[in-house]
Amino acid sequence: MKPDLSVKPKLVVASANPDKVADLVRLLGERFEVVARPTDAPETIEDQDTLEGNSVKKATEIAEFSGCAALADDTGLFVAALDGRPGVFSARYAGEDASYQDNVDKLLGELSGVGDEDRLAEFRTVVALILPDGSGVTGEGSVSGVITSEPVGEQGFGYDPVFAPDEGEGQTFAQMTREQKQEISHRARAFRSLEMALERAGNILG
Ligand code: IMP
């Protein structure tokens, strides 16, 4: 019997962040039935010291809980002049309950007095797709750029207003449309890398 190609494999998204879920549906919705994280799923403690460690931990816990394939990503902004900070702590840079604005303010404060040529930074994402039996694949993506001296632009989220990618002709991510950002973003690249890893692994989603 031929497989029914109209039935997409189900993927539970480990993140509860609506910005990220919207991104994931846009990136993977054609290929997978993207399902939101179950509301009663326990919160993962992101205590690993690498993006890969945290993304695999999050996806593994949700796959075990839901009994379905699960997808989790972890992103960090690595700033050269700050020895790679905030890195894996990007979400909590200005404290446990820090807002996007708090984190941006702290970053600009730490970089005050640092010249344009020394404001190099990189966004990196690792995405993990893990099955209930614990097997799975990961993908990685990054984008290089600079931290601007002040926030510019209204789009996006997080550090977007202060990150100008090298390929962006001086614009910050927050000045780009979603489509422009998606062309070059760390997360989109990590998903393309995951898709290639999935193809290499065969159709592990059945
Ligand atoms: P997470 O691992 O995706 O939760 O990302 C950690 C932190 O990095 C988030 O709290 C955001 O502030 C920031 N971040 C992640 N992705 C992006 C992005 O695409 N643009 C700007 N900031 C981001």
Side-chain angles (χ1 to χ4, degrees), residues 106-120:
K106 175 159 182 181
L107 179 63
L108 292 181
E110 289 220 64
L111 287 175
S112 74
V114 175
D116 287 351
E117 64 287 358
D118 293 321
R119 300 176 77 95
L120 306 182

Side-chain angles (χ1 to χ4, degrees), residues 56-139:
V56 168
K57 184 176 181 191
K58 280 188 274 190
T60 302
E61 290 189 5
I62 295 294
E64 278 171 6
F65 180 82
S66 65
C68 296
L71 187 87
D73 65 313
D74 202 33
T75 295
L77 177 63
F78 296 79
V79 180
L82 302 177
D83 295 325
R85 278 182 286 121
V88 287
F89 300 110
S90 292
R92 295 163 276 161
Y93 188 34
E96 266 321 306
D97 298 315
S99 66
Y100 292 153
Q101 185 70 53
D102 296 336
N103 287 332
V104 164
D105 289 346
K106 175 159 182 181
L107 179 63
L108 292 181
E110 289 220 64
L111 287 175
S112 74
V114 175
D116 287 351
E117 64 287 358
D118 293 321
R119 300 176 77 95
L120 306 182
E122 189 172 66
F123 265 120
R124 291 182 209 145
T125 295
V126 175
V127 57
L129 193 161
I130 305 289
L131 302 182
D133 69 3
S135 64
V137 289
T138 60

Side-chain angles (χ1 to χ4, degrees), residues 20 73-75 90-91 100 123 157-160 181 186-187:
K20 282 167 64 177
D73 65 313
D74 202 33
T75 295
S90 292
Y100 292 153
F123 265 120
F157 66 99
Y159 297 94
D160 279 347
K181 181 181 169 189
H186 44 296
R187 189 170 301 100

Side-chain angles (χ1 to χ4, degrees), residues 27-49:
L27 289 165
L28 294 169
E30 279 188 15
R31 198 164 149 185
F32 300 103
E33 183 193 345
V34 180
V35 181
R37 170 198 177 87
T39 49
D40 54 344
E43 204 56 54
T44 296
I45 299 167
E46 295 185 35
D47 55 2
Q48 306 297 297
D49 56 11

